Amino acid sequence: MSLSRREFLKQSSTAITIAALAPTLSAAEPAAVPGRKRSLKKGIMYATIGFKGSVLEKFKAVKEAGFEGVEPMSHMNQTEVVGAFEETGLKAASVCCSTHWDKPALG
């Protein structure tokens, strides 16, 4: 059996894709089951918190609103942010930095 170059590339790229996704697919959550709590957690970007106040006051409001994480900005006072995380029990969803805005996307 001989394969054309196009057919070979199509089949091999499919096999590579399946191999690359296999660990992700096998670790994925099963389909939603009624009555079962999902493992997704809500987080919010710090810059979108729409009222004035200290970091701790904003974190407390975010916690009260039902969020489980905050994405702090990289230029924030680290001691203040860590203290607010510890006091509220919120988690760092990720960290946002402003430096990437200075570099245009390659296109």
Side-chain angles (χ1 to χ4, degrees), residues 4 11 13 19 22 25-28 33 36 42 52 54 56-58 61 63 68-69 71 75 78 81 94:
S4 69
Q11 287 184 14
S13 64
L25 295 174
S26 65
V33 177
R36 180 172 174 222
K42 292 190 300 183
K52 298 200 182 300
S54 69
L56 180 57
E57 290 169 334
K58 289 182 178 187
K63 179 80 170 185
E68 298 176 67
E71 179 185 43
H75 63 279
Q78 183 177 355
V81 171
S94 65

Side-chain angles (χ1 to χ4, degrees), residues 21-103:
L21 292 176
T24 305
L25 295 174
S26 65
E29 292 266 334
V33 177
R36 180 172 174 222
K37 186 175 178 182
R38 296 175 61 184
S39 64
L40 294 175
K41 302 195 183 322
K42 292 190 300 183
I44 187 169
M45 185 177 179
Y46 183 83
T48 65
I49 301 170
F51 68 91
K52 298 200 182 300
S54 69
V55 173
L56 180 57
E57 290 169 334
K58 289 182 178 187
F59 275 30
K60 284 180 177 180
V62 164
K63 179 80 170 185
E64 183 72 24
F67 289 92
E68 298 176 67
V70 176
E71 179 185 43
M73 307 298 281
S74 62
H75 63 279
M76 295 173 70
N77 179 302
Q78 183 177 355
T79 304
E80 189 176 11
V81 171
V82 170
F85 276 129
E86 289 173 351
E87 188 164 330
T88 60
L90 291 168
K91 303 292 182 196
S94 65
V95 177
C96 182
C97 71
S98 61
T99 57
H100 69 278
W101 294 111
D102 297 332
K103 297 174 179 49

Side-chain angles (χ1 to χ4, degrees), residues 6-21:
R6 180 173 293 177
E7 190 61 30
F8 172 77
L9 289 173
K10 189 163 75 171
Q11 287 184 14
S12 60
S13 64
T14 301
I16 290 169
T17 301
I18 290 171
L21 292 176

